[in-house]
């Protein structure tokens, strides 16, 4: 991977994480909640705009999806950039926004709206609730089963598969197939026409 691409991914991650923290009460989130908020911002971005905003890889750990190498890339990255600090509150070490980055090169109004909605959604949930929701994600389930579930290294999550958790249900997939279903019967009564 080229250095420019790595720098771009790191900057994107810092911008999105800072924006999430900027939209939550007290400007702080636990590390688990921040990782899940990042994951869902990227899934919504992929669904609505055709690409993730962070361009980062998520891996399937026991407590759900996290940014690959998150202690260094996310937590230490925010601290080294002077964007956030990691405070201590009993057993918890939330990440607290100190200041927004000087400029936001990768976040526009449309993605800022997504970030705000996901950040507020995450702020209303405990870290356990966030993990429980993430454990229902088929992308995480598959990656976990192929990795840590088999005592193998943690596996990357396929975000196209993971995105299925946030798309509208398809009524065709929910419909029972019966011969009396006129639409299905009409579709199956003919061999079709060759292209």
């Amino acid at each position: 991977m080229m250095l420019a691409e790595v720098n771009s991914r790191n900057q994107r991650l810092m911008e999105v994480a800072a924006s999430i923290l900027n939209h939550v009460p007290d400007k702080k989130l636990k590390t688990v909640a921040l990782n899940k908020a990042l994951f869902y911002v990227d899934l919504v971005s992929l669904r609505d705009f055709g690409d993730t905003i962070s361009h980062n890889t998520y891996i399937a750990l026991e407590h759900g999806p996290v940014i690959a190498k998150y202690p260094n890339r996310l937590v230490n990255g925010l601290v080294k950039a002077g964007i956030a600090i990691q405070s201590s509150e009993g057993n918890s070490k939330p990440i607290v926004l100190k200041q927004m980055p000087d400029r936001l090169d990768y976040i526009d109004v449309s993605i800022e709206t997504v970030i705000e909605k996901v950040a507020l959604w995450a702020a209303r949930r405990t870290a356990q609730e966030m993990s429980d929701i993430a454990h229902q994600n088929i992308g995480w389930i598959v990656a976990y089963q192929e990795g840590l579930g088999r005592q193998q290294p943690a596996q990357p999550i396929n975000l196209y598969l993971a995105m299925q958790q946030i798309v509208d249900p398809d009524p065709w997939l929910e419909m029972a197939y019966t011969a009396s279903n006129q639409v299905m019967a009409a579709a199956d009564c003919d061999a079709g026409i060759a292209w």
Side-chain angles (χ1 to χ4, degrees), residues 70-181:
Y70 77 90
N72 187 41
R73 296 186 56 241
L74 177 60
V75 178
N76 291 342
L78 288 166
V79 171
K80 286 179 185 176
I83 294 170
I85 60 168
Q86 189 168 29
S87 68
S88 183
E89 297 175 2
N91 291 335
S92 178
K93 293 186 176 185
I95 301 171
V96 183
L97 181 69
K98 276 178 48 178
Q99 65 179 24
M100 287 294 291
D102 293 334
R103 21 182 274 241
L104 299 176
D105 292 331
Y106 298 102
I107 297 176
D108 61 16
V109 173
S110 58
I111 203 67
E112 186 71 28
T113 301
V114 169
I115 291 170
E116 181 178 12
K117 286 179 183 177
V118 172
L120 293 173
W121 171 81
R124 292 189 300 268
R125 284 160 179 76
T126 66
Q128 184 61 53
E129 290 171 329
M130 294 290 287
S131 289
D132 291 345
I133 292 166
H135 285 163
Q136 298 170 24
N137 185 286
I138 190 67
W140 174 83
I141 292 168
V142 169
Y144 186 81
Q145 288 174 348
E146 292 176 357
L148 295 179
R150 291 185 179 167
Q151 284 73 45
Q152 299 295 316
Q155 294 296 302
I157 297 171
N158 178 325
L159 295 184
Y160 290 100
L161 187 57
M163 181 178 59
Q164 302 313 304
Q165 185 180 31
I166 63 164
V167 297
D168 293 331
D170 185 343
W172 286 92
L173 296 175
E174 302 299 322
M175 187 183 300
Y177 178 78
T178 63
S180 64
N181 183 317

Side-chain angles (χ1 to χ4, degrees), residues 25-97:
D26 300 329
K27 310 274 187 230
K28 68 179 175 182
L29 280 175
K30 293 180 179 177
T31 305
V32 169
L34 181 56
N35 267 292
K36 303 311 174 277
L38 284 161
F39 180 69
Y40 285 103
V41 163
D42 270 340
L43 292 184
V44 173
S45 178
L46 181 61
R47 179 193 69 195
D48 294 353
F49 308 112
D51 199 0
T52 64
I53 184 62
S54 82
H55 290 195
N56 276 265
T57 300
Y58 293 86
I59 58 172
L61 295 186
E62 182 178 347
H63 295 291
V66 297
I67 291 286
K69 302 178 184 175
Y70 77 90
N72 187 41
R73 296 186 56 241
L74 177 60
V75 178
N76 291 342
L78 288 166
V79 171
K80 286 179 185 176
I83 294 170
I85 60 168
Q86 189 168 29
S87 68
S88 183
E89 297 175 2
N91 291 335
S92 178
K93 293 186 176 185
I95 301 171
V96 183
L97 181 69

